[in-house]
Amino acid sequence: MFKKKYDLAFGVGAACSCTQVLRAAGLQYLSFPFDWVFGATIEDRVDCICEHFSEFLNITDLEFLQVHPFNGKDIYVNKKTGIVFNHDFPSGIPLSQGLTGVKLKYDRRSARLLSLIEKSNRILVLWVGHAETNEQNSTRKSSWKDAAEYIEGRLCRSFGDKFDLLLFQHKDGVRMDKRELVRYSRRVTKVAFDFKSKKMDAPGYAINTQSLVRLLKKRFRVKDYRTDAEKNAYTSKNICSSKKSKNRVWGIWNGVLNLIQRLCGIKGGDVK
């Protein structure tokens, strides 16, 4: 694998870990449609892009599954595409009402991605499988070779010959320095090694994102494609987030000091 520079990089799945890896590696600057969704094969997701997300959030295709056990959101699946929305729909609100804001967000992200694809000459597309994901769950084809041929052809016919597809597939027991490299074509490469999370409390599907981040940082660069307005919005958001974080830390520390003072019989009051 040679170090390459791209105009754009984005993920197509299999879940949130893909965008987390891209962002941590400094390769993704803005949000795109597949960042925080789950489900669907890689071909289904590529079809969504090539069809300009026309059936991404049709209300007649959405089916309620359950309330998310951790974030409390209503989980919906698109029966046509297989995509699962785990983080978007507020609980206890009818779909017809909750869909409005969700659709606006995804319409914005879809339009952004399609616009950047049209403007870019070299694009990196990343797929990161779960630690428990096998090939049968990732592709609707009989093999990755067949899937790679379909994806490359579909993207090229829709947008031109400017995509490189990199597939990260988990393989038990294979060390990163002994990783397996399979080139299906000049545009599609699969890298397989053991990147399952080693944390004791991690769920079975969790991955060690840092191992993937190190690989990507060494081999790829993406130019900053953001407009000045987008850069300023990002900076302002980070400043607000930093202030809130500092305020939370100070509030906790101040509360601890006050508790110590009360336990020691010292007169209360904020410690400055």
Side-chain angles (χ1 to χ4, degrees):
M1 294 174 67
F2 301 98
K3 189 165 186 178
K4 294 182 179 180
K5 184 174 182 180
Y6 290 94
D7 302 313
L8 173 67
F10 65 91
V12 289
C16 312
S17 53
C18 187
T19 188
Q20 290 168 349
V21 167
L22 282 170
R23 291 168 193 252
L27 302 178
Q28 181 178 339
Y29 302 103
L30 297 171
S31 294
F32 299 124
F34 297 125
D35 287 352
W36 310 110
V37 298
F38 181 69
T41 66
I42 188 170
E43 295 96 336
D44 291 324
R45 294 189 179 215
V46 169
D47 287 343
C48 283
I49 298 171
C50 296
E51 293 162 9
H52 290 218
F53 299 93
S54 60
E55 298 182 333
F56 202 62
L57 274 170
N58 289 340
I59 191 169
T60 54
D61 297 328
L62 296 176
E63 180 181 356
F64 174 77
L65 293 182
Q66 65 181 65
V67 176
H68 198 290
F70 301 117
N71 64 30
K73 299 284 188 179
D74 282 350
I75 301 176
Y76 281 89
V77 60
N78 185 317
K79 295 177 293 183
K80 186 170 289 187
T81 64
I83 291 173
V84 179
F85 299 87
N86 281 318
H87 306 286
D88 300 291
F89 291 92
S91 183
I93 297 178
L95 176 60
S96 57
Q97 296 177 23
L99 181 60
T100 303
V102 175
K103 195 170 188 310
L104 283 172
K105 176 176 66 177
Y106 279 100
D107 284 349
R108 182 171 63 249
R109 292 178 180 178
S110 301
R112 175 189 294 146
L113 177 60
L114 292 170
S115 175
L116 286 170
I117 287 175
E118 291 293 342
K119 295 175 183 177
S120 301
N121 294 315
R122 300 193 69 186
I123 301 171
L124 175 65
V125 182
L126 183 69
W127 169 275
V128 178
H130 277 318
E132 291 180 336
T133 301
N134 56 40
E135 291 190 6
Q136 286 71 37
N137 294 330
S138 300
T139 171
R140 64 183 186 225
K141 300 293 184 181
S142 58
S143 68
W144 271 118
K145 185 178 186 301
D146 292 337
E149 182 179 339
Y150 174 85
I151 293 164
E152 183 176 14
R154 187 85 207 267
L155 287 172
C156 287
R157 287 192 299 273
S158 297
F159 302 104
D161 184 20
K162 53 186 176 181
F163 294 89
D164 285 340
L165 178 62
L166 180 60
L167 310 164
F168 276 118
Q169 194 75 17
H170 170 77
K171 190 165 185 178
D172 283 328
V174 179
R175 290 168 26 191
M176 185 172 72
D177 60 340
K178 301 292 184 180
R179 58 191 176 272
E180 299 175 2
L181 191 70
V182 182
R183 295 189 185 279
Y184 295 115
S185 70
R186 67 187 181 89
R187 292 294 197 185
V188 185
T189 303
K190 184 177 80 172
V191 182
F193 66 97
D194 190 332
F195 51 77
K196 188 172 185 176
S197 175
K198 305 305 180 186
K199 294 180 180 179
M200 295 296 293
D201 59 344
Y205 58 80
I207 71 170
N208 174 15
T209 57
Q210 289 306 310
S211 59
L212 303 184
V213 170
R214 287 195 296 271
L215 279 176
L216 293 176
K217 272 187 172 181
K218 288 180 181 178
R219 288 162 177 77
F220 305 111
R221 287 189 300 149
V222 173
K223 73 175 186 180
D224 192 341
Y225 45 74
R226 293 173 296 177
T227 64
D228 289 339
E230 287 168 336
K231 290 178 184 178
N232 292 335
Y234 178 80
T235 302
S236 299
K237 182 178 179 180
N238 277 359
I239 291 173
C240 290
S241 177
S242 178
K243 286 181 177 178
K244 287 179 181 177
S245 179
K246 288 179 181 177
N247 287 338
R248 281 196 299 269
V249 171
W250 172 249
I252 294 171
W253 177 238
N254 191 56
V256 170
L257 290 177
N258 282 331
L259 177 60
I260 294 172
Q261 287 176 338
R262 288 197 298 272
L263 292 174
C264 296
I266 302 173
K267 190 174 182 180
D270 287 352
V271 179
K272 298 294 186 182

